[in-house]
């Protein structure tokens, strides 16, 4: 530490971007990693190190088996202590993999971590040139030389603490959103929970039973829904949707709109209004398996219990207004917009059941095919409050079906509809429902047509077996078609039993489609407001599938539950808990550390064209009334997009400045060493 | 741009050899509609989409491309009245337009057999689509001189609509194009069980395994017989052949007693446009030789108003 002077500036001053180019001569240490045979099997690492020694300012060049190991890291540290190395170059794997390891090491030795330059000779060189070793050697030398050139002018970058807002926003109040909101509130963080529908609880409340234990989902979830609704730190907004989101990690400003319920909070949930309402229509919440009025509560246990008026279908007869004993009905209520400041956002927008209409051979939703339904509809049919009195009845004639056929992978594992993925939940719920039907009606034949049965995990193989034991029939084959006899109206499922290679026509009184889980409607606009990436399937994309499946592509925005990809309830709950912990961390700590890896603007060169603002995705460039741009240091994501568009080179990202990159490019393109 | 109101008429194999009445009817219809049909000199077999493609896809494409080149040289779209010819020519035409590698490969081979180069300038059309969409039920009403009072079992066959994403005409799962067209001719179409399945002839089945072909066809006829149509209407000479000879076979070997006339969409349209019944040619076919079209009164335009 004592060796170096004039360095390690942890300035507290905000003023003028520090042009702290080292006054002392650059002393560069180069370390070439073998990575076992990964690099050394193709690249002659000793020769590369020897070559590095010949480059200007290089005071040490070595090669070692595993640079990321403790002795390897120690070599880097020692060079700083013993030789006064003040910039390091490690030629090994990707910067994403071990760049941080070495940056941390030099920081421990008192150097600014941005003085480390990582050179990737594995992915960029040895792995892709295994059959052309001579060329690989040459390329490795050029890459190392480029790294050295780049290291020569590296500047220190300060790390600054940014205060965070101690509050969080959770979008969606299904099982994942509820769990996440509750977990954060328990950590003492105020939570705004907003839900698009009029009630909370999401899909889980609509299920009849949950697998594998055949438990009542209402009983499982109601402690949580009640807990959230009554938590002093949770503010719940139903009928609400996000309108706008500004800001970045630690400090967001969110605007959302709350649509009016037309019933005030003093509603006692007595139900008089609905009883007298003359308008009756199928309940959407119940998938048409029950009727509701134009003023209604989605289901008996709904939270909030306040009734809601469906303005579209209301005939404004005012009966509800007149019969309400507490005068809670108020047609004059207006939409309300609210703006809140939060430090973290959790997106728990859930999923939609795939609409099988587009798979034409199954004729879902077509005239004459009323007896083709989805699993969610079956769940509602079985529920205690359904029109059928919890019986399974054919929608066409109200009779108990003698033959039920379930079709798996409807909208999943199907290239034709563009969904390659396996939803991973359908096998489980189909088996569960098949077993329930078979138990209710032992004389009914229940058949499941599947591609593969996927029931991994504790208790699920057991569930599968129990269904087989009570006589549910399993046929391996994806049905090609559901055909209807135009004379008798009878349905048949055409399928090949691929195990016995027999083409079959299964008589079906009721066909139940196990439809996939797909991204929810409206996720596109929400995703754009959040500025987060989506996967090709349309779900919101996680930061890293293994190491951080709950962070989105944007700092401070986290994903909980099925919005990141299909999940069952257990997985959603676990995922939501992880999201809550990660989202809470910076809020509990009170600050985040932000590296000031940001661009500076040379106002002598700036022509006030404003192009930099147009390309800045995180909207970190502000332009004042005189047309002069400035950089919002906290919002900047260091992407560098502003640099190439600037016509005069006035805006320069620290450590990625034109002359720094030029030095690197000269070596990569074989132009030889650049001194001075 | 190809010539308007002109088609290169691709005859195929079956129609000119077995059912010249369909050819006559088609020429009659297209002339009444104001189209000119050009002969395709030196045209070969399409070649059949099931068999040839299964054995050698490349040569199948080359032979088809040769036919396409003949029409390209005439600068007209191709018209076909056969599902098989349509299946091959439409698919190869679309594929070679989209796939440059295959286009280059096919053109290399075409050079070896003459002055041919696939350029991708034309389209391939099927009579049912020309009548059903281009003329349309709305347009045909002005041209026909009589309507037929009958109930028809419509057989679409396979290659006209399947696969939907290649044909891009109409969904193969629930098609209505022919039914809507027939309605304009006064004919009611009756739905029957498994209406959209194969007749049992295509894909080499009829030639390779007569028994299998007749099992499929027997099922088809059983389903048609349930709804007792006046005749079977098809849009493909190969299906036509299957319905004709198949009924005969079932009568002789399977104790059946079918006698349903089999009528191609061109034949029915020609009759409605005023071609004499004798030229429709039912008397030369195996089934329903004595069938006489029942007439339906045409509403005069004034009455409609």
């Amino acid at each position: 530490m004592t060796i170096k002077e004039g360095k390690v500036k942890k300035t507290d001053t905000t003023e003028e971007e520090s042009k702290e180019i080292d006054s002392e001569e650059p002393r560069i240490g180069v370390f070439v990693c073998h990575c076992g045979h990964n690099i050394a099997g193709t690249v002659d690492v000793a020769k590369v190190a020897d070559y590095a020694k010949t480059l200007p300012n290089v005071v040490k060049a070595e090669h070692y088996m595993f640079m990321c190991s403790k002795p390897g890291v120690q070599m880097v540290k020692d060079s700083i202590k013993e030789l006064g190395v003040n910039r390091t170059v490690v030629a090994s794997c990707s910067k994403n993999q071990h760049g941080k390891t070495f940056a941390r090491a030099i920081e421990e030795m008192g150097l600014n971590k941005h003085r480390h330059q990582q050179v990737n000779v594995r992915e960029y060189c040895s792995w892709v040139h295994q059959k052309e070793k001579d060329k690989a050697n040459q390329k490795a030398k050029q890459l190392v030389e480029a790294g050295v050139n780049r290291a020569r002018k590296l500047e220190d970058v300060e790390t600054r603490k940014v205060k965070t807002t101690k509050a969080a926003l959770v979008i969606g109040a299904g099982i994942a959103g509820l769990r996440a909101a509750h977990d954060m509130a328990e950590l003492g963080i105020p939570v705004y929970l907003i839900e698009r529908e009029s009630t909370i609880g999401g899909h889980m409340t609509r299920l009849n039973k949950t697998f594998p234990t055949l438990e009542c989902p209402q009983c499982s979830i109601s402690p949580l829904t009640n807990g959230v609704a009554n938590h002093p730190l949770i503010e719940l907004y139903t009928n609400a949707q996000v309108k706008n989101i500004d800001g970045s990690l630690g400090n967001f400003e969110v605007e959302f709109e709350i649509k009016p319920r037309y019933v005030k909070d003093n509603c006692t949930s007595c139900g008089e209004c609905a009883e007298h309402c003359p308008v009756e229509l199928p309940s959407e919440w119940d998938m048409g398996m029950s009727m509701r009025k134009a003023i209604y509560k989605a289901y008996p246990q709904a939270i909030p219990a306040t009734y809601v008026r469906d303005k579209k279908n209301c005939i404004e007869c005012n009966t509800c207004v007149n019969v309400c004993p507490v005068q809670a009905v108020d047609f004059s209520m207006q939409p309300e917009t609210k703006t809140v400041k939060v430090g973290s956002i959790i997106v728990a927008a859930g999923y939609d059941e795939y609409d099988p209409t587009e798979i034409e051979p199954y004729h879902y939703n077509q005239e004459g095919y009323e007896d083709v339904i989805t699993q969610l509809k079956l769940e509602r049919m079985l529920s205690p409050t359904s029109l059928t009195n919890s019986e399974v009845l054919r929608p066409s004639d109200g009779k108990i079906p003698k033959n039920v056929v379930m079709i798996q992978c409807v909208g999943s594992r199907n290239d034709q509809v563009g969904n390659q993925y396996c939803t991973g939940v359908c096998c489980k719920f189909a088996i569960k429902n098949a077993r329930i039907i078979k138990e209710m009606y032992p004389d009914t034949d229940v058949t499941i047509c599947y591609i593969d049965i996927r029931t991994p995990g504790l208790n699920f193989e057991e569930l599968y077996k129990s269904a087989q034991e009570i006589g549910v029939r399993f046929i391996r084959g994806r049905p090609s078609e559901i055909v209807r006899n135009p004379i008798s109206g009878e349905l048949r499922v055409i399928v090949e039993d691929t195990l016995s290679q027999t083409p079959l026509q299964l008589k079906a009184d009721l066909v139940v489609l196990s439809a996939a889980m797909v991204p929810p409607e409206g996720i596109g606009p929400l995703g754009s407001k959040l500025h987060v990436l989506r996967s090709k399937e349309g779900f919101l994309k996680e930061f890293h599938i293994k190491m951080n499946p709950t962070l989105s592509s944007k700092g401070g925005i986290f994903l909980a539950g099925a919005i990141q990809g299909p999940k069952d309830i257990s997985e959603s709950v676990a995922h939501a808990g992880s999201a809550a912990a990660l989202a809470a961390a910076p809020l509990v700590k009170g600050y985040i550390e932000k590296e000031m890896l940001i661009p500076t603007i040379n106002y002598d060169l700036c022509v006030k064209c404003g192009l930099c603002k147009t390309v800045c995705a995180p909207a970190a460039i502000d332009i004042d009334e005189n047309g002069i741009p400035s950089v919002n240091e906290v919002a900047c994501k260091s992407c560098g997009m502003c640099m190439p568009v600037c016509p005069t080179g006035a805006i320069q990202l620290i450590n990625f400045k034109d002359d720094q990159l030029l030095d690197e490019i000269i070596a990569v393109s074989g132009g030889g060493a650049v001194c001075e | 741009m190809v010539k308007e109101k002109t088609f290169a008429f691709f005859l195929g194999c079956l129609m000119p050899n077995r059912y010249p009445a369909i050819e006559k009817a088609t020429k009659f219809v297209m002339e009444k509609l104001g189209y000119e049909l050009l002969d395709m000199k030196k045209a070969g077999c399409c070649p059949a989409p099931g068999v040839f493609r299964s054995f050698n896809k490349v040569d199948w494409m080359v032979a088809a491309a040769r036919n396409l080149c003949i029409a390209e040289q005439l600068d007209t779209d191709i018209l076909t009245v056969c599902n098989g010819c349509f299946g091959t020519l439409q698919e190869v035409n679309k594929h070679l337009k989209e796939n440059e590698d295959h286009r280059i490969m096919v053109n290399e081979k075409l050079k070896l057999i003459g002055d041919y180069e696939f350029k991708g300038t034309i389209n391939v059309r099927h009579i049912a689509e020309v009548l059903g969409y281009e003329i349309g039920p709305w347009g045909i009403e002005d041209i026909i001189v009589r309507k037929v009072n009958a109930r028809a079992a419509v057989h679409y066959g396979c290659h006209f609509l399947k696969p939907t994403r290649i044909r891009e005409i109409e969904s193969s799962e629930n098609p209505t194009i022919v039914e809507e067209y027939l309605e304009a001719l006064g004919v009611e179409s009756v739905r029957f069980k498994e209406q959209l399945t194969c007749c049992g002839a295509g894909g080499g089945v009829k030639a390779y395994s007569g028994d299998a072909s007749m099992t499929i066809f027997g099922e088809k006829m059983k389903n048609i017989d349930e709804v007792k149509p006046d005749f079977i209407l098809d849009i493909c000479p190969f299906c036509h052949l299957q319905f004709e000879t198949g009924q005969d076979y079932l009568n002789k070997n399977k104790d059946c007693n079918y006698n349903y006339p089999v009528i191609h969409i061109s034949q029915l349209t020609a009759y409605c446009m005023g071609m004499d019944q004798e030229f429709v040619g039912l008397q030369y076919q195996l089934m329903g030789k004595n069938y006489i079209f029942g007439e339906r009164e045409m509403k005069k335009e004034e009455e409609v108003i």
Side-chain angles (χ1 to χ4, degrees), chain A residues 360-361 363 366 416 480-481 483-487 490 492 494 505, chain B residues 164-165 171-174 191-194 196-197 219 223 226-227:
Chain A
E360 290 185 313
H363 303 283
Q366 276 179 25
Q416 283 175 334
S480 58
E481 209 175 344
V483 293
R484 177 176 179 269
N485 184 332
I487 301 159
E490 182 186 278
R492 277 174 194 270
I494 312 292
Q505 294 204 1
Chain B
T164 309
R165 67 176 186 284
S171 159
S172 63
E173 300 298 336
N174 211 1
R191 293 267 172 191
F192 57 95
K193 201 175 148 193
E194 288 163 28
L196 300 168
T197 55
E219 187 68 26
N223 293 335
E226 278 182 3
V227 296

Side-chain angles (χ1 to χ4, degrees), chain A residues 375 378 404-408 430 433-434 437 446-449 512 514:
Chain A
Q375 291 280 3
L378 177 66
V404 178
V405 178
M406 293 187 179
I407 301 180
Q408 296 306 103
N433 286 340
I437 294 175
V446 185
T447 307
I448 296 181
C449 300
V512 188
S514 296

Side-chain angles (χ1 to χ4, degrees), chain B residues 1 35-36 104 156 189 195 208 225 237 244 269-270 274 284 287 290:
Chain B
M1 273 301 280
Y35 287 86
E36 190 188 351
I104 292 165
Y156 275 89
S189 343
Q195 185 170 0
Y208 173 74
D225 196 41
E244 278 270 293
T269 310
Y284 306 120
M287 294 291 136
N290 302 318

